[in-house]
Amino acid sequence: MPHDPRFGPNAQTPQQRANVLRQLQLTYPRLTTKATPFAQHLYDRYVAGELSWPDVRRALDEAAT
């Protein structure tokens, strides 16, 4: 699989991105406890490789305004 520059070196596969997301959720529990269905959908798209983490944050920030 070619390197995708949208993701860090430890987030190239869906499994790696899922691990990154779990680590973020452990560090910032509100990512889980306050996750709306929309946020969960974005997280799923991140794990699938459709969105980068900055894309997820941008979408969440736009939805909050």
Side-chain angles (χ1 to χ4, degrees):
M1 171 169 33
H3 176 78
D4 188 335
R6 295 180 305 150
F7 304 103
N10 296 322
Q12 290 294 305
T13 68
Q15 183 179 11
Q16 289 173 324
R17 286 187 292 276
N19 188 45
V20 168
L21 180 58
R22 274 191 301 277
Q23 290 174 6
L24 283 166
Q25 290 171 327
L26 287 172
T27 303
Y28 304 102
R30 69 182 179 85
L31 292 177
T32 303
T33 59
K34 295 190 179 205
T36 64
F38 176 67
Q40 187 58 55
H41 175 71
L42 293 173
Y43 299 162
D44 293 343
R45 290 185 65 197
Y46 166 73
V47 171
E50 297 172 14
L51 297 174
S52 67
W53 189 252
D55 295 334
V56 171
R57 290 302 321 157
R58 190 174 312 108
L60 290 172
D61 291 344
E62 289 173 2
T65 59

